[in-house]
Amino acid sequence: MLSIISPMQQDAIKQLLQDYKEEDVQFTFKEKQGIKMLFEASVENEAVVKKVKELIKTQPWGSVLMVQVTIV
């Protein structure tokens, strides 16, 4: 399970990951706990954590976000 902590753009992050269908990785939103969102990923490793951060930071709104992505 991936934990993504971001106080802003939560809906945009959720949509971005649910729409992502490349590199044999898929994300399924599970639940929201305050500013934390939990996603199930078809692959869970440090490369996927890095990919999620990269995906968020390459968005027009993502370069200024404070975001934390971890495996839980």
Side-chain angles (χ1 to χ4, degrees), residues 4-15 32-37 39 65:
I4 301 175
I5 299 174
S6 177
M8 300 175 67
Q9 296 292 339
Q10 290 186 342
D11 290 335
I13 292 170
K14 181 179 171 184
Q15 193 65 49
K32 181 177 183 247
Q33 301 170 345
I35 63 170
K36 181 192 303 185
M37 297 179 289
F39 289 84
L65 280 185

Side-chain angles (χ1 to χ4, degrees), residues 4-68:
I4 301 175
I5 299 174
S6 177
M8 300 175 67
Q9 296 292 339
Q10 290 186 342
D11 290 335
I13 292 170
K14 181 179 171 184
Q15 193 65 49
L16 174 68
L17 294 182
Q18 290 184 130
D19 291 345
Y20 184 76
K21 305 272 191 271
E22 296 178 23
E23 301 175 18
D24 297 327
V25 179
Q26 294 183 342
F27 301 96
T28 306
F29 178 75
K30 290 299 178 184
E31 66 179 290
K32 181 177 183 247
Q33 301 170 345
I35 63 170
K36 181 192 303 185
M37 297 179 289
L38 298 173
F39 289 84
E40 191 155 316
S42 57
V43 177
E44 293 180 3
N45 57 33
E46 288 303 315
V48 171
V49 169
K50 185 177 178 180
K51 183 64 176 178
V52 168
K53 288 179 184 178
E54 180 182 300
L55 284 170
I56 293 169
K57 292 297 183 179
T58 59
Q59 299 304 306
W61 43 263
S63 63
V64 296
L65 280 185
M66 297 284 290
V67 64
Q68 179 181 1

